[in-house]
Amino acid sequence: MKKISCLCLIFLFLIVNSAPCFAGTNEMSLYVEKAAQAGEKQAYHGAKFEPKAGSYLGIFAEGDPAVHNTATGNPFYFEGVPKLTGKKHAMYMLYEHYGMEDFNHYINHFNRAKKLNVGMQIALEPNNGLDQVQDDSYLHNFAKQAASSGIPIFLRFAGEMNDPDSEWTGDPNKYIEKFRLVARVMHSEAPNVAMCWAPNDWPFDAAAEWYPGDEYVDWIGVSAYPPYLANGESEQNTKWTDRIKPIYDAYAGRKPIVLAEGAPIQNVLFEGTDVSWVGAKDIKEFYDEIARRYPAIKAVFYWDCNETWDSAGRKCSLSGNNNILNAYKKAIASPYFLSEMNAASPVIFADLSDPALPPLEAKAQKISAFVGNHRLDTAKVVYYINGEYAAEVVGSPYEAALDLSAYAGQTITIKSDAYDSANGFIDTVTDTVSIISTMAKPSSCVLQVNGKKTSVDAYNINGSNYFKLVDLAMALNGTKKQFYVSWDEKNKAINILGNQPYTPSGGEQKKSGASGSINAIPTSATLLINGSKVSFDAYNINGSNYFKLRDLSQAMQFNASWSESTNTITISW
């Protein structure tokens, strides 16, 4: 990130206020959270280091004294950032001057990165102009040192080249020539380096005249710093995701996207008035919207720093403002944002309007909304199922747990209306979705405890075996893993007490004789195990609750092993 000249400030003010690319209607869409299956891909391009689903957490924070002491390295920001934000980050960023600093100028950083299993973004900047970039010993030595580091590297060569204030702007053809030269050397000599082409977000276009070509670019990046504009109505009309949309729309179909650097500016037009409440809202919405509307953004680098020059400056620091810090903590808490390199998100957010979306299970489903309100003034979303009120949610990502258990086997409509802070209507969207019954297949497996075999009702649901608690309690009765099970009327919960004998009621371990698949209705049954509340997947089948054996074995601390040859589940400890 470079200082912005007065001329550029005026230019930025003018284009943001006119902002022709943001004109038009709002956009709204609904999403359902689903568990990512093994190997499942979302907006995946097969690029170097690209996660199949999810987005790497990245940050530049050497300028934040709360997490990094530049003089002593104590604290050091690779460790300071997780302490400040509550979450490990997968990547960190540094700037290096082309021709003046070799790659190993920051070798201590790279050694720490390797030890912590994190990656690095290097913003390599030819501050003396593009003519200094030659096929010479400096470039080849830089590549060799990068290769020897043994860590994943995003190399952002001469970023923000479309910025008229850049030292390497002015000649797109020369820029392309030099980017291709650097890319050829890195691709040949440093296989752990991904080449990142990253224009500025303004001028608001795709910067196509600067693009070196797919052969030379591994990731597409963009810098984006939404300011708060002190116009007559004090509106923020440059929502963070709006600023990256032109680059995203142009390139997300061919390359993974990275926010190379950016943050909402917390002061009005780079002056002293604090408007961090706007930045906080933008941060939360930005990360929520990446996970939903912009799944090809596979890495995000927050610029945690304040910058001052002359009588002006901009504030983007996390540690300097609790509004900003708390918003960031909430924004990155989702497991969608990855703390480890070469990982994948355990959850994805599927668009309800996607014709390829499988039918939803008849259970509580987490439904959330993207509201493309360019004024950054969405306040709440109201949900309806088949026209009937279902939920009202304030705050991004406007997520509601909608209970769909009553709609098994039906096709329903889920409608959502969005409103602003003055309760003014913004937009609406309606999606039609199919709800399926979860089918339980009778299992013929046999339980074996201490050599004694018992045949009980069990069902296989989505590849896992489910049992009734009373059947397991009867099978374990008299052993060191025995437990008592009863209904707690006061807490409306099933009560389990470990190391207590079970008193049979007469209905245990009776076979129903069912042979075909049967409808299993998800249930939100609450369990208290030795006084502690736990939540397990459970299904109601023929009026009885069935629980996954794997969950119960972990909670009650016994082992359950399966023998395919004898069709036997052996319980041991």
Side-chain angles (χ1 to χ4, degrees):
M1 182 181 185
K2 298 176 290 300
K3 296 178 182 178
I4 298 181
S5 67
C6 292
L7 178 61
C8 290
L9 281 174
I10 294 170
F11 176 58
L12 174 59
F13 182 85
L14 290 174
I15 61 172
V16 168
N17 275 279
S18 58
C21 68
F22 301 149
T25 59
N26 293 308
E27 174 191 351
M28 189 169 177
S29 46
L30 299 180
Y31 299 84
V32 59
E33 179 181 318
K34 60 187 287 290
Q37 304 302 310
E40 186 171 2
K41 303 172 184 177
Q42 188 179 43
Y44 184 67
H45 311 79
K48 191 177 295 185
F49 308 130
E50 180 184 3
K52 289 183 172 63
S55 188
Y56 292 131
L57 267 184
I59 195 167
F60 171 75
E62 278 208 332
D64 187 338
V67 300
H68 186 76
N69 186 314
T70 56
T72 66
N74 184 22
F76 193 87
Y77 86 111
F78 292 8
E79 291 91 9
V81 164
K83 290 180 180 178
L84 178 69
T85 64
K87 188 168 182 177
K88 180 186 177 185
H89 285 50
M91 302 194 80
Y92 294 86
M93 184 175 72
L94 293 168
Y95 296 89
E96 293 204 24
H97 299 293
Y98 192 101
M100 300 172 59
E101 298 167 342
D102 62 11
F103 179 85
N104 281 342
H105 180 78
Y106 288 104
I107 192 168
N108 289 334
H109 287 65
F110 304 141
N111 288 339
R112 280 179 182 258
K114 188 172 184 179
K115 183 178 180 181
L116 295 171
N117 188 34
V118 298
M120 298 291 302
Q121 181 198 152
I122 307 299
L124 186 58
E125 300 185 333
N127 293 291
N128 293 324
L130 289 170
D131 288 336
Q132 72 177 126
V133 181
Q134 301 293 329
D135 190 359
D136 57 13
S137 59
Y138 170 81
L139 179 58
H140 288 273
N141 189 51
F142 191 99
K144 289 181 173 63
Q145 290 179 353
S148 67
S149 72
I151 59 176
I153 301 290
F154 282 16
L155 185 63
R156 178 165 55 118
F157 170 72
E160 304 176 14
M161 77 301 297
N162 60 330
D163 182 340
D165 202 38
S166 168
E167 292 85 350
W168 45 88
T169 192
D171 187 344
N173 291 328
K174 181 182 287 188
Y175 171 83
I176 289 172
E177 173 194 339
K178 299 302 183 180
F179 189 101
R180 289 177 173 178
L181 167 60
V182 174
R184 282 194 295 267
V185 172
M186 296 301 157
H187 286 163
S188 174
E189 300 180 22
N192 61 320
V193 169
M195 289 298 298
C196 177
W197 175 76
N200 206 341
D201 65 349
W202 61 277
F204 295 116
D205 58 37
E209 69 272 25
W210 300 90
Y211 188 58
D214 290 351
E215 178 184 350
Y216 303 94
V217 174
D218 299 307
W219 286 62
I220 303 288
V222 60
S223 296
Y225 292 86
Y228 182 89
L229 300 179
N231 58 27
E233 298 180 358
S234 295
E235 294 176 350
Q236 161 61 290
N237 61 358
T238 53
K239 186 176 179 179
W240 202 355
T241 47
D242 282 344
R243 300 183 71 89
I244 64 173
K245 194 173 186 297
I247 296 293
Y248 187 93
D249 288 350
Y251 298 103
R254 54 213 280 194
K255 299 287 181 179
I257 309 295
V258 50
L259 178 74
E261 60 176 82
I265 296 170
Q266 301 165 22
N267 48 310
V268 176
L269 268 180
F270 317 122
E271 295 176 356
T273 304
D274 181 278
V275 287
S276 59
W277 58 274
V278 179
K281 190 174 192 298
D282 210 3
I283 286 170
K284 185 65 167 63
E285 290 193 356
F286 181 77
Y287 283 84
D288 290 339
E289 291 171 4
I290 284 174
R292 292 162 177 81
R293 171 62 176 80
Y294 299 96
I297 298 179
K298 296 298 185 76
V300 184
F301 286 85
Y302 189 92
W303 201 76
D304 174 19
C305 193
N306 292 336
E307 186 175 41
T308 59
W309 62 93
D310 300 329
S311 59
R314 77 193 85 201
K315 296 181 179 180
C316 300
S317 173
L318 289 174
S319 66
N321 190 294
N322 284 333
N323 289 338
I324 296 295
L325 178 59
N326 291 334
Y328 186 75
K329 286 180 176 180
K330 292 176 182 177
I332 67 173
S334 169
Y336 186 88
F337 294 102
L338 306 173
S339 296
E340 303 288 342
M341 294 300 298
N342 301 311
S345 171
V347 298
I348 60 176
F349 300 90
D351 191 332
L352 283 186
S353 67
D354 185 351
L357 178 70
L360 303 184
E361 285 189 69
K363 63 179 184 180
Q365 298 282 359
K366 293 181 179 179
I367 307 297
S368 54
F370 164 78
V371 185
N373 176 17
H374 307 310
R375 289 184 53 240
L376 192 61
D377 189 28
T378 305
K380 69 177 181 180
V381 165
V382 182
Y383 291 96
Y384 302 86
I385 299 176
N386 287 344
E388 297 291 329
Y389 171 86
E392 179 177 311
V393 187
V394 174
S396 178
Y398 315 103
E399 184 177 83
L402 300 185
D403 186 1
L404 306 182
S405 58
Y407 304 98
Q410 301 180 31
T411 297
I412 65 171
T413 60
I414 299 178
K415 176 176 177 287
S416 182
D417 295 336
Y419 297 87
D420 63 22
S421 57
N423 208 35
F425 177 78
I426 298 172
D427 205 352
T428 186
V429 62
T430 301
D431 287 314
T432 300
V433 294
S434 297
I435 311 299
I436 61 168
S437 303
T438 301
M439 302 308 295
K441 182 179 180 182
S443 173
S444 59
C445 64
V446 174
L447 273 181
Q448 178 172 274
V449 181
N450 286 345
K452 180 182 177 181
K453 293 184 178 180
T454 305
S455 181
V456 299
D457 265 350
Y459 289 89
N460 188 286
I461 303 174
N462 297 327
S464 296
N465 285 313
Y466 285 74
F467 292 84
K468 284 189 286 188
L469 285 174
V470 292
D471 288 348
L472 286 173
M474 192 70 176
L476 290 167
N477 212 15
T479 73
K480 66 184 298 183
K481 291 298 178 181
Q482 67 183 355
F483 61 89
Y484 177 77
V485 57
S486 64
W487 173 251
D488 186 331
E489 180 63 29
K490 178 182 178 181
N491 293 300
K492 304 297 182 184
I494 299 170
N495 190 33
I496 296 176
L497 297 176
N499 198 28
Q500 298 290 324
Y502 174 68
T503 303
S505 63
E508 299 82 7
Q509 298 183 352
K510 288 188 176 180
K511 295 283 289 180
S512 66
S515 58
S517 295
I518 190 170
N519 185 41
I521 302 173
T523 177
S524 56
T526 300
L527 271 71
L528 293 173
I529 299 181
N530 296 326
S532 298
K533 185 178 178 180
V534 297
S535 297
F536 291 148
D537 285 341
Y539 291 89
N540 187 285
I541 303 172
N542 283 336
S544 296
N545 289 331
Y546 284 73
F547 294 86
K548 189 186 299 184
L549 183 59
R550 186 182 305 116
D551 289 342
L552 294 170
S553 68
Q554 291 174 353
M556 306 302 294
Q557 298 182 337
F558 60 78
N559 301 315
S561 59
W562 161 253
S563 171
E564 184 176 5
S565 60
T566 62
N567 195 30
T568 300
I569 295 174
T570 300
I571 294 179
S572 59
W573 42 86

